[in-house]
Amino acid sequence: AMSGTSMAAPYVAGASVIIRQAMEFVGMTNITQDMIFNHMMANADTLKGWQWLCALSARTCPACLGQHGQVFPVDEPGPLDHVNGRCTAVPVTKSMRELGFDVDDPADALPDAKAWFDAQPEQVQADMMGAERLRRLKSGDLAWDDLAVRRENPDWRASFVVRPLGA
């Protein structure tokens, strides 16, 4: 097991670097999330959407773990992670066949957040989730998909945060 390490780090870094390098190659600098979103919108005809990608590390919060791997429509801005969030959006292209090529798509290389979490030592899991949230996850009283909740913030923007245990 890769205790507390980031299995997704090369994938996150690679995806972010590729997008940024492509934009820099055509003369864009100071690349922001808005620029990446606008770039995806300009190429929406080749995309199914975008996928939420978090760093799989002991520092990742439950909300981001719960959102990792989810696919959103290409015209939905994101990821709406919390303050100091480290998540990124990765474009998801249409299948090769949808794009007109008679070729099979490669297997998905995105690491599964729940499988990664389950492989962590109990203490790392408890440190990340807290004792009660971890107990509820293990007992089935709390579903993986229920770790995050969208919270509206009129002073900033909507964001996904850790769902309170009482909610």
Side-chain angles (χ1 to χ4, degrees), residues 50-54 64-72 110-111 113:
W50 62 268
Q51 193 167 35
W52 187 300
L53 187 69
C54 77
C64 294
L65 282 173
Q67 292 296 100
H68 178 81
Q70 293 198 36
V71 178
F72 296 84
L110 183 72

Side-chain angles (χ1 to χ4, degrees), residues 49-110:
W50 62 268
Q51 193 167 35
W52 187 300
L53 187 69
C54 77
L56 297 178
S57 79
R59 292 181 40 220
T60 302
C61 79
C64 294
L65 282 173
Q67 292 296 100
H68 178 81
Q70 293 198 36
V71 178
F72 296 84
V74 70
D75 61 351
E76 186 174 322
L80 298 179
D81 54 348
H82 50 77
V83 174
N84 294 325
R86 300 176 294 143
C87 297
T88 192
V90 177
V92 177
T93 60
K94 292 179 179 176
S95 72
M96 295 303 281
R97 285 186 172 57
E98 289 173 305
L99 293 171
F101 300 98
D102 189 23
V103 178
D104 291 332
D105 289 318
D108 187 355
L110 183 72

Side-chain angles (χ1 to χ4, degrees), residues 132-163:
E132 181 59 18
R133 184 171 284 105
L134 181 59
R135 185 194 69 71
R136 290 184 188 186
L137 269 174
K138 289 186 179 267
S139 72
D141 291 339
L142 178 64
W144 189 258
D145 291 342
D146 293 331
L147 290 172
V149 63
R150 183 181 167 130
R151 179 161 296 146
E152 302 299 323
N153 182 338
D155 296 324
W156 184 46
R157 64 163 170 78
S159 62
F160 283 89
V161 298
V162 178
R163 181 184 302 276

